[in-house]
Amino acid sequence: DVKVTQSSRYLVKRTGEKVFLECVQDMDHENMFWYRQDPGLGLRLIYFSYDVKMKEKGDIPEGYSVSREKKERFSLILESASTNQTSMYLCASHGRTGTFKSYGYTFGSGTRLTVV
Amino acid sequence: RKEVEQDPGPFNVPEGATVAFNCTYSNSASQSFFWYRQDCRKEPKLLMSVYSSGNEDGRFTAQLNRASQYISLLIRDSKLSDSATYLCVVNNNDYKLSFGAGTTVTVRA
């Protein structure tokens, strides 16, 4: 089975801190995604990457950046954390093959970030 | 208008009951459709893909109506373990997925 691993389940950070959320997948997937999930709003796409060193903005990129130096790792960076970035952050990946239509994404277990 | 809309529920049903709910999508060019299940404080997990002809997986049946742009999920013979939030997910002509906010189902003994 594909495994998507997020480095932390729970994080508490202070306002203004720089925060790194790490995501690693072990199935050589080209495509990786970062979402945040908030009650009543569902999952919203922050950034995604189709390949190493490639990144594209999603629907809510403001206040975030990403890094993809290696194929298996996709990092989300909060340059200066703010309280409105308190949320559940979910990383996902999938391969660029026909199986996408049958299997969608595989998600990591999520990081619940609280900014105080 | 949101790209994917769902009735948030909650749908409270007794064990053994049938529960069904829909979701609507706004992009007529959407290509692929999925139902994901999400347990409290856990990540979403794929429940089933939804095919044009409709498909069944055990007690779960998914239907797609392209003309009216909605998909449905029906759960027969509900179990306590079916209590979860069900996310309607749509893919357009790329690799990004758009998620509904979820429908909460609670099955009571």
Side-chain angles (χ1 to χ4, degrees):
Chain A
D1 280 351
V2 176
K3 194 158 185 190
V4 179
T5 303
Q6 292 185 230
S7 52
S8 304
R9 289 298 303 273
Y10 299 95
L11 274 179
V12 179
K13 296 291 182 180
R14 294 194 179 279
T15 302
E17 276 193 75
K18 191 168 186 176
V19 181
F20 293 86
L21 302 183
E22 305 287 345
C23 174
V24 177
Q25 49 92 6
D26 65 359
M27 281 298 290
D28 202 34
H29 281 173
E30 293 85 2
N31 303 325
M32 297 186 74
F33 306 81
W34 275 106
Y35 286 85
R36 65 177 281 177
Q37 185 176 27
D38 301 287
L41 297 178
L43 277 80
R44 292 180 292 166
L45 182 62
I46 305 171
Y47 267 96
F48 59 101
S49 170
Y50 287 155
D51 208 339
V52 177
K53 296 195 186 294
M54 291 182 64
K55 59 185 179 184
E56 292 195 36
K57 293 180 180 179
D59 300 318
I60 52 163
E62 297 78 18
Y64 303 94
S65 62
V66 290
S67 172
R68 191 149 181 218
E69 296 297 317
K70 294 185 177 182
K71 192 174 186 180
E72 67 270 19
R73 186 181 297 271
F74 190 36
S75 303
L76 179 70
I77 303 154
L78 286 66
E79 297 290 342
S80 177
S82 63
T83 54
N84 63 13
Q85 292 178 309
T86 292
S87 187
M88 166 76 109
Y89 289 88
L90 288 157
C91 175
S93 77
H94 73 80
R96 204 179 297 153
T97 69
T99 60
F100 170 74
K101 290 189 183 299
S102 296
Y103 298 112
Y105 292 172
T106 299
F107 282 91
S109 54
T111 297
R112 190 165 292 276
L113 172 67
T114 302
V115 182
V116 297
Chain B
R1 184 184 171 188
K2 289 183 181 177
E3 198 164 344
V4 182
E5 298 209 55
Q6 294 183 249
D7 179 348
F11 288 77
N12 294 307
V13 299
E15 269 188 297
T18 295
V19 59
F21 41 89
N22 296 337
C23 106
T24 58
Y25 60 95
S26 61
N27 188 341
S28 60
S30 295
Q31 302 268 316
S32 304
F33 307 88
F34 308 89
W35 283 105
Y36 273 71
R37 172 198 168 117
Q38 186 172 26
D39 295 303
C40 189
R41 297 186 172 269
K42 297 283 186 71
E43 75 273 22
K45 293 186 178 177
L46 181 67
L47 178 66
M48 58 198 301
S49 302
V50 185
Y51 302 119
S52 296
S53 55
N55 48 300
E56 196 172 299
D57 184 0
R59 297 180 293 104
F60 297 83
T61 301
Q63 296 281 351
L64 167 63
N65 185 317
R66 284 192 184 272
S68 301
Q69 292 182 211
Y70 74 85
I71 67 173
S72 63
L73 182 66
L74 182 145
I75 308 173
R76 284 188 304 279
D77 188 23
S78 300
K79 311 291 184 194
L80 294 176
S81 58
D82 295 333
S83 297
T85 297
Y86 293 85
L87 306 179
C88 173
V89 185
V90 173
N91 164 244
N92 301 322
N93 193 24
D94 57 23
Y95 288 109
K96 291 181 286 180
L97 297 180
S98 296
F99 291 78
T103 297
T104 299
V105 172
T106 303
V107 181
R108 62 182 188 274

